[in-house]
Amino acid sequence: MAAGEGPSTAMKCAALQSVFAITAFILMWIGSLNCTFIEFVDTSGTDKPMSIKFGLWFFQSWTAVFSVSGTYLFESCHYYPESIDLDDSWKTARLFSVIAFVLGIIILIGLCVSACTRDISRVTYGWEAPLYLLTGLCQGFTLFFLNSKACKGNLWVQLKGDITGVTFPDTCSISKGAKLTISAMVFFFAAGVTAFVAHKAEKKEIEDDERAGLREPLNHNV
């Protein structure tokens, strides 16, 4: 890009790519590390239906606090006990959740390092788009949790329904955590596509500048 010109297409796309990536990571973090990935909502038709929620790593719990002014219920998330038996779908969802987190951290570190060390004339790298797409794919595979026994035929939910007299469905529905996970996957894919467009645009700009004599060829000093 010649001096005095405004931001190039590559620079604009690279900035948008960073926004998508950071947004995706935040959504992934919130969506996976809570206890509201799926839920079972009672089908009794009451005005305030009761719900039971579960996450990949945590489950929802309610604590009753009694005082002179009344009884208060507080929601909290608790880690599953070691005695719980995870099926293959649940294990798969957890595995890809960890992989997505590791890739997400690598992306954030890569963004910080490249922003501090890259040549001012270069704003994109070829590895960014594949890494974003791979992270989004791994994030999508966490939805295997919807095929686990936590979602289908959950014995704890059935027991809870028998004790309280509340009717719960046999299969779960997605809750906030799953919706955030899907949103994160979309933003990772968007970051990947934007990174690809930015890198392609920058390569074209470099070629155009070289043809115009504004940039020396890479092999000039060889």
Side-chain angles (χ1 to χ4, degrees), residues 39-46 48-52 154-173:
E39 65 179 347
F40 293 83
V41 182
D42 79 72
T43 56
S44 304
T46 59
K48 295 182 178 180
M50 179 179 177
S51 65
I52 303 176
N154 192 312
L155 296 179
W156 192 89
V157 172
Q158 296 176 9
L159 178 62
K160 190 74 171 179
D162 292 339
I163 294 175
T164 60
V166 177
T167 302
F168 292 102
D170 295 331
T171 304
C172 72
S173 57

Side-chain angles (χ1 to χ4, degrees), residues 65-74:
V65 177
F66 302 94
S67 66
V68 293
S69 59
T71 302
Y72 301 90
L73 289 176
F74 294 92

Side-chain angles (χ1 to χ4, degrees), residues 5 49 52 63 73 79-80 94 104 107 114 123 130-131 133 140 142 147-148 164-165 169 178 187 194 207 217-218 222:
E5 295 183 2
I52 303 176
T63 302
L73 289 176
Y79 193 77
Y80 290 106
R94 281 190 169 188
I107 287 173
S114 61
V123 296
L131 188 57
L133 296 177
T142 62
N147 195 46
S148 71
T164 60
F187 273 102
T194 308
E207 293 173 355
L218 294 178
V222 177

Side-chain angles (χ1 to χ4, degrees), residues 40-193:
F40 293 83
V41 182
D42 79 72
T43 56
S44 304
T46 59
D47 294 335
K48 295 182 178 180
M50 179 179 177
S51 65
I52 303 176
K53 300 177 181 180
F54 300 88
L56 289 172
W57 307 93
F58 305 93
F59 67 95
Q60 181 191 57
S61 179
W62 295 90
T63 302
V65 177
F66 302 94
S67 66
V68 293
S69 59
T71 302
Y72 301 90
L73 289 176
F74 294 92
E75 177 186 346
S76 59
C77 294
H78 296 270
Y79 193 77
Y80 290 106
E82 295 182 359
S83 58
I84 190 170
D85 183 26
L86 307 180
D87 59 13
D88 291 339
S89 294
W90 198 334
K91 292 177 181 178
T92 300
R94 281 190 169 188
L95 173 62
F96 280 106
S97 175
V98 172
I99 295 175
F101 266 107
V102 172
L103 293 177
I105 292 174
I106 292 174
I107 287 173
L108 290 182
I109 294 175
L111 288 175
C112 294
V113 172
S114 61
C116 296
T117 61
R118 66 165 46 130
D119 185 345
I120 192 171
S121 64
R122 186 178 183 86
V123 296
T124 69
Y125 293 96
W127 56 264
E128 293 174 318
L131 188 57
Y132 287 131
L133 296 177
L134 178 60
T135 306
L137 186 63
C138 290
Q139 184 69 7
F141 282 145
T142 62
L143 296 176
F144 271 113
F145 189 56
L146 300 177
N147 195 46
S148 71
K149 66 179 183 181
C151 184
K152 299 181 178 180
N154 192 312
L155 296 179
W156 192 89
V157 172
Q158 296 176 9
L159 178 62
K160 190 74 171 179
D162 292 339
I163 294 175
T164 60
V166 177
T167 302
F168 292 102
D170 295 331
T171 304
C172 72
S173 57
I174 63 173
S175 189
K176 180 179 68 176
K179 293 176 182 178
L180 291 175
T181 295
I182 295 172
S183 298
M185 178 179 63
V186 172
F187 273 102
F188 274 126
F189 284 142
V193 173

